[in-house]
């Protein structure tokens, strides 16, 4: 089966391969055989560093749906199209405390008929990162490179990796997002179970 990813970034490609391999081990019938991964750079339609959960979800969906249309126009028929988006989500603080900002990774998967979102969960962001990205409008990748004195953070461990001492890397966060987004596809029967109280 052809699986298409709307990105050519290595951490995202590796995350898709790892997620699919994990699923195949647990659900051998998923996809009925081997898969071919096609990756293309597609626009997110959002700002360089999305700054809300809604924007992250929109970016992941736009990448997947744009890629699906592109490949179909070229005569390709991917079984699944995947969009991955990382950035910042925020929530109002509890009991009047200041607004909270988190690093999040989101995945969107579609086969052209059904679709699903999944996220990695959230990691609290330090105030100096929030100040640079949210308050001053800088892109997260260059900010992480500068603040943590590294090169191409986004292409390697990601800000996830820096902030967790690599217990959770950018790639790991995307693997988790994908396992969640793909659940309705590899565990379809559980998503169709009806509550017995609905009968009769």
């Amino acid at each position: 089966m052809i699986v298409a990813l709307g990105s050519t970034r290595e951490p995202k490609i590796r995350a898709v391969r790892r997620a699919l391999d994990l699923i195949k081990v647990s659900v051998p019938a998923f996809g009925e055989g081997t898969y071919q991964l096609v990756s293309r750079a597609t626009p997110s339609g959002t700002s360089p560093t999305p700054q809300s959960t809604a924007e992250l979800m929109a970016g992941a969906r736009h990448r997947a749906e744009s890629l699906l249309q592109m490949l179909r126009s070229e005569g390709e028929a991917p079984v699944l199209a995947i969009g991955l988006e990382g950035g910042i989500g925020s929530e109002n603080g509890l009991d009047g405390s200041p607004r909270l900002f988190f690093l999040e990774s989101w995945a969107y998967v579609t086969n052209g008929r059904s679709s699903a979102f999944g996220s990695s969960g959230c990691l609290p962001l330090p105030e100096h990162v929030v100040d640079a990205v949210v308050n001053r409008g800088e892109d997260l990748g260059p900010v992480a490179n500068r603040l943590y004195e590294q090169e191409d953070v986004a292409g390697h461990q990601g800000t996830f990796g820096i902030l967790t001492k690599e217990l959770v890397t950018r790639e790991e966060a995307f693997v988790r997002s994908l396992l969640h987004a793909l659940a309705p596809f590899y565990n379809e029967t559980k998503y169709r179970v009806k509550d017995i109280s609905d009968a009769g």
Side-chain angles (χ1 to χ4, degrees), residues 81-190:
I82 297 169
L84 299 174
E85 196 68 36
I88 297 174
S90 64
E91 293 290 341
N92 289 325
L94 301 176
D95 303 320
S97 60
R99 191 162 185 80
L100 302 172
F101 294 89
F102 302 96
L103 185 61
E104 300 179 1
S105 294
W106 279 84
Y108 177 84
V109 180
T110 181
N111 60 11
R113 301 176 305 280
S114 302
S115 60
F117 285 101
S119 82
S120 61
C122 56
L123 174 68
L125 278 173
E127 289 184 10
H128 52 269
V129 174
V130 172
D131 181 57
V133 179
V134 177
N135 299 335
R136 299 205 302 267
E138 298 180 56
D139 187 19
L140 179 60
V143 166
N145 291 342
R146 184 182 74 246
L147 292 177
Y148 301 112
E149 299 179 338
Q150 298 194 32
E151 293 183 8
D152 193 22
V153 169
H156 293 93
Q157 78 275 44
T159 308
F160 263 103
I162 288 174
L163 295 177
T164 65
K165 286 187 172 290
E166 298 196 30
L167 290 173
V168 180
T169 62
R170 184 176 193 228
E171 180 182 327
E172 294 282 352
F174 281 129
V175 169
R176 180 67 59 183
S177 303
L178 273 166
L179 291 175
H180 293 167
L182 284 164
F185 295 89
Y186 64 77
N187 200 14
E188 184 181 3
T189 56
K190 295 298 186 291

Side-chain angles (χ1 to χ4, degrees), residues 6 40-46 58-64 66-67 70 85:
R40 298 277 188 89
T42 54
S44 67
T46 67
R61 183 175 64 189
H62 193 269
R63 289 184 191 278
S66 297
L67 181 59
M70 179 195 306
E85 196 68 36

